[in-house]
Each structure stands twice: as C-alpha cells, then as structure tokens.
Amino acid sequence: MAPSKRKSAETEKMTVEDAKALDCGVCFSALKPPIFQCDNGHALCSSCRDKLAPAGKCHVCGITTRLGYRRCLAMDHLVESIRVACPNAAHGCDARPVYYDLAGHRKACPHAPSHCPGKTCSFSGTMKQLVDHITSSHGWPCTTKVIIAGQTSIRLQDGFNFLVLDHLVDKEGATTTSTTGKFLFLLNVARQPIGQQFWFNISVICIHPHHIYDGQGQSSTKAIKCELKYSWWFDNRLFHHYMSSDLRVDCTDLSDGLPNHETCFNCFNFVVPNSALEDGDKEAIHVKASITIY
C-alpha cells in the first residue's frame, strides 16, 4: 500500500477525544486562522490576541510576550484540515464543513429539517419531504402558487391550509430565493359562531428552518408581510362587505410547536354576518393573499 493511501486509511476513523483542544483558551470559541501562540505554545484566537497584547504576558503561563504572540501556522493548518459531517446528513446533506464553521453551515444548510405542525406527529424533514408528508399523510390542503406581483386567490377551510411559493417579491420588485428552494406558509383558520355571525381567526406563519436568506445564503433583516383580503357583494350587489389586514409573518421550523393561536399577534380577525357570506364560504372562505418582503 502506498504511504499516502496507508495514512488515509489510518486516519479515516479518527476522533477528537478533547474538543476543547480546538478552542481558544480565552473565549473558548472554536479556533480559526489566524491562530496565535505564546513561546510555550498556548494558543488563542486573533480577537483575544488583540485584547491581551497590552498586558504583555501569556494568559495561561504568564510568560512575557513583549514581542507579541506569534502566528501558529501548524495550528492554522490543523484546524483547516478538520472536517465534520453536517448534522443534517440524514436529510441528504453531504457537506463536510471545517470544524470552526459548522455553526455557520447549519444556519444556511439547505437540508435543515422543519417539523410537522400536527400535535401528535413527530415527522421532520426537508421542505419537499414536509410538503409530501402533509398532503399524503394528513390530507391537509396545499396550494402551489407563484406570486410575482399582485395577489392570488386561495380557498381556506377550517384548520390547516398550506401555500407553497417558489420565491418572494420585495417592495421594490426584486425576488428572494430560499436556500431550501421554496417557501411554505401555514394559514391556520379558526371559525367561531357569535349569534348569527361568524368570527374568523386566520394566523399566518412561514415554516422554514432558517430566517430568510438571500440567494448566497446570507442572513437578511427583511421582514415578510402577508396581506389578506375578504370581499363579497350580496343582495344583488346592493351591499358590499370588505375586510383587509397586513400581517407580519414569522419564520419557524416548528421545533417548539405551533405558536399559541389564541394569543397570536399576527392574526387576521374579522366578523362576517351570515348574510354577507357567499354560499361557498359557508364551508370554506375565499381570501385574496399577497406576500411581500420589506
């Protein structure tokens, strides 16, 4: 066996017994280049090096560092060569990020799972797997729409309703693409009778494993807004009932379950008299929805 192949086989199943050895001795964050050391080899990150330089001595052994901490190129090379499997490997991710960047990879991993909103269901999976699950295992209605501009009409029944979008449009007309490929929205409808009227409570959340990211996987501070409208003419168009509301939509992977529907702050609430309901809306309600990034 050639030396290079033998070494590869010998190190193939190596494990790190003490992960703290790869952390900065001051802030305990994962070491990443450039890494520095004192003359006795005690390593620290560049940020801590800058903070401790005025003290003129090592943070561990107290040795004088008048000439400053020196670069530790061997440690630089070591941490660059340590690769770890993504925790989402079971969901199809074959990436092996460097040890110190695992947290950064997890924040934008396209294979990160989201959870089923069913109270007794423990399913979790990628966006595509989740969409297949909610339709095949639960039979919840799921509509696929591409909203480029304006609004789309959607028929909402009581309970869970899902809307799948390929991308979102911002206020200026530019599009944002999810790292998972699609955006999945849950519109939860609760209907309560009040005398001869109905109280509709519609909450909207975006089921997504991350906050909204741009096409390069960079975190965005933009907010998602969903505008819901209900409109109906009745009595031969003599009367018109119209309601509209703008909702801020939160992103969640549902790992902590559904937000409390009764105390939900981003809900569309309105009262509709029976006479104002279209015949088809007595079983399910038609609303117009537009989703925008701000």
Side-chain angles (χ1 to χ4, degrees):
M1 182 184 293
S4 60
K5 291 184 178 179
R6 186 180 70 251
K7 289 181 179 179
S8 177
E10 291 172 349
T11 59
E12 194 174 47
K13 297 182 179 180
M14 287 180 62
T15 60
V16 178
E17 294 293 333
D18 184 8
K20 293 180 180 178
L22 301 175
D23 295 342
C24 172
V26 179
C27 67
F28 306 109
S29 298
L31 285 169
K32 60 181 179 179
I35 301 171
F36 295 86
Q37 65 177 358
C38 76
D39 289 341
N40 284 337
H42 296 117
L44 72 168
C45 67
S46 60
S47 178
C48 290
R49 186 280 308 260
D50 294 340
K51 294 177 182 177
L52 295 177
K57 60 181 181 179
C58 174
H59 60 290
V60 176
C61 63
I63 189 174
T64 301
T65 56
R66 290 173 182 166
L67 298 178
Y69 288 94
R70 296 178 292 107
R71 280 290 299 275
C72 184
L73 298 178
M75 198 67 175
D76 281 358
H77 180 70
L78 176 63
V79 297
E80 285 283 4
S81 65
I82 297 177
R83 300 279 167 164
V84 292
C86 174
N88 301 317
H91 298 288
C93 183
D94 57 3
R96 293 184 61 81
V98 291
Y99 163 77
Y100 59 79
D101 194 39
L102 178 60
H105 169 77
R106 293 181 67 175
K107 288 181 179 179
C109 177
H111 298 275
S114 293
H115 297 256
C116 176
K119 287 185 178 180
T120 60
C121 185
S122 60
F123 178 87
S124 65
T126 62
M127 192 65 61
K128 182 181 184 304
Q129 292 169 340
L130 186 57
V131 171
D132 292 341
H133 169 77
I134 63 179
T135 54
S136 61
S137 298
H138 296 287
W140 291 322
C142 186
T143 303
T144 301
K145 297 279 187 179
V146 177
I147 302 178
I148 297 178
Q151 57 194 7
T152 185
S153 180
I154 181 172
R155 185 173 183 265
L156 303 177
Q157 69 175 31
D158 290 359
F160 292 163
N161 303 262
F162 296 87
L163 178 63
V164 180
L165 303 180
D166 288 325
H167 60 260
L168 301 180
V169 180
D170 68 17
K171 189 177 180 181
E172 287 72 35
T175 61
T176 291
T177 302
S178 167
T179 53
T180 57
K182 292 183 182 294
F183 294 92
L184 176 62
F185 291 88
L186 167 59
L187 293 86
N188 193 5
V189 180
R191 181 195 310 227
Q192 296 178 334
I194 304 177
Q196 295 300 311
Q197 301 175 345
F198 283 103
W199 174 276
F200 288 90
N201 181 299
I202 304 176
S203 63
V204 185
I205 61 172
C206 179
I207 302 177
H208 200 281
H210 311 298
H211 294 293
I212 297 304
Y213 284 79
D214 61 22
Q216 288 71 46
Q218 299 299 313
S219 179
S220 171
T221 58
K222 295 179 179 179
I224 302 178
K225 184 188 82 169
C226 177
E227 181 182 13
L228 295 178
K229 296 178 181 179
Y230 177 79
S231 179
W232 172 239
W233 289 91
F234 55 102
D235 284 354
N236 295 320
R237 299 185 67 82
L238 183 62
F239 302 101
H240 181 218
H241 187 83
Y242 175 85
M243 295 291 294
S244 174
S245 183
D246 293 336
L247 311 175
R248 181 186 176 95
V249 180
D250 293 328
C251 289
T252 173
D253 62 3
L254 294 179
S255 57
D256 296 324
L258 280 171
N260 191 328
H261 192 89
E262 295 180 357
T263 60
C264 181
F265 290 102
N266 57 335
C267 294
F268 182 35
N269 300 299
F270 59 103
V271 176
V272 182
N274 276 344
S275 58
L277 276 173
E278 185 180 2
D279 290 340
D281 289 338
K282 293 179 180 179
E283 297 297 329
I285 188 167
H286 289 80
V287 299
K288 292 183 178 180
S290 60
I291 299 177
T292 310
I293 291 180
Y294 279 77

